Amino acid sequence: MIGKATRLARLFRADGRAVVIALDHGQFKGSMPGLETIPEIVRCVVDGGADGVILNPGALEAAAPAYAGRCALIVRVTGARTDANPEFDYHRQILSVEQAVSLGADAVIAMGFLGSASEAPSLALVAEIAGSCRRWGVPLVAEMLIADPSKFNDVASIALGARVAYELGADVVKVYGAGEASFADIPKSSPLPVLVAGGAKSADPAEMARQAVERGAAGVAFGRTVFGAPNPMNVVKSLVSAVHGKGG
Ligand code: 5RP
């Protein structure tokens, strides 16, 4: 397990916490304000002190000069579904763990969906990717979502996803739920470090991050509330202070 431990130490600081910025939305939603030029936004969040970035495989070549040696790289290995598809469908594997290693990944991220007819193949895929991650010594971040978007912030569903990720062999779990009064239930439901996603927009992302770590999260994996802000670098700086403390 030394491969996983070495790579995890590039993502989580000595305090066991991490500020991760998700910049992978283009695979699902196309270009978005703030994500037009991936190398530019990567440079901006790295300069702000992010510990890790989540990117799709196709963005790496251009963005590497901005993150390499400065910040951990989490490569998304599932997807193959866009907002153009009105029907729910679970994500398929788009990149092998071996290929992610060859691209320099410090970790990979895969999405798992609970609560639909395709729950079984979705969770089987997370388990299969977890097996490849064990073989290659690469940490798996499992992003566990409930298929019904109206339940994204449902605490019982989030806690179930966090536990399932652990049982299937993930190393870190990414969930929605920041700001929920009962968020404390989620870290309790799973021994894995929990990173909290940000959602569309928050008036005060740093306060969301502060509440999440206070209630047991290991940090954040915020996307839109960072790259959609007028000054993403300042938002990242505020997240670093909230998650790692003032001296962070
Ligand atoms: C892309 C993703 C992101 O990685 C993330 O889950 C979304 O983060 P945020 O809600 O903070 O924008 O899944 O679609």
Side-chain angles (χ1 to χ4, degrees):
M1 297 308 268
I2 189 63
K4 278 193 181 188
T6 301
R7 290 184 168 93
L8 279 172
R10 295 182 193 137
L11 175 61
F12 290 98
R13 294 192 193 176
D15 60 6
R17 292 180 178 174
V19 172
V20 174
I21 309 301
L23 302 169
D24 60 324
H25 301 54
Q27 189 198 160
F28 312 103
K29 297 180 178 303
S31 186
M32 296 173 75
L35 277 190
E36 295 90 345
T37 316
I38 293 283
E40 215 170 274
I41 185 69
V42 172
R43 180 157 291 109
C44 178
V45 304
V46 171
D47 286 348
D51 300 307
V53 285
I54 301 175
L55 291 168
N56 287 306
L60 302 182
E61 186 90 39
Y67 63 74
R70 302 186 61 203
C71 160
L73 170 66
I74 305 173
V75 179
R76 187 167 285 282
V77 295
T78 55
R81 186 197 176 279
T82 74
D83 285 359
N85 181 355
E87 301 300 322
F88 170 78
D89 200 359
Y90 74 99
H91 290 190
R92 311 303 203 274
Q93 191 160 3
I94 56 159
L95 188 79
S96 69
V97 175
E98 181 180 6
Q99 286 170 316
V101 170
S102 81
L103 290 168
D106 296 303
V108 298
I109 183 164
M111 227 165 273
F113 290 92
L114 300 161
S116 81
S118 48
E119 184 181 86
S122 181
L123 299 185
L125 181 59
V126 171
E128 192 183 320
I129 293 170
S132 302
C133 282
R134 270 194 294 278
R135 208 156 40 248
W136 287 97
V138 177
L140 170 62
V141 182
E143 180 167 356
M144 303 304 283
L145 296 175
I146 197 85
D148 174 359
S150 70
K151 285 194 175 166
F152 267 21
N153 295 98
D154 174 59
V155 173
S157 305
I158 295 169
L160 174 65
R163 182 68 192 201
V164 169
Y166 164 67
E167 303 288 349
L168 295 180
D171 302 282
V172 177
V173 64
K174 177 180 172 201
V175 298
Y176 277 84
E180 292 288 323
S182 45
F183 180 72
D185 290 349
I186 297 161
K188 264 190 250 149
S189 71
S190 168
L192 299 180
V194 175
L195 296 177
V196 180
K201 200 165 197 151
S202 158
D204 193 346
E207 179 55 20
M208 275 172 63
R210 198 193 57 71
Q211 285 185 20
V213 294
E214 194 173 83
R215 292 169 183 160
V220 295
F222 285 0
R224 289 164 290 176
T225 200
V226 175
F227 64 74
N231 190 332
M233 196 193 298
N234 280 352
V235 180
V236 177
K237 285 180 180 169
S238 72
L239 295 176
V240 170
S241 295
V243 169
H244 294 295
K246 289 285 176 218

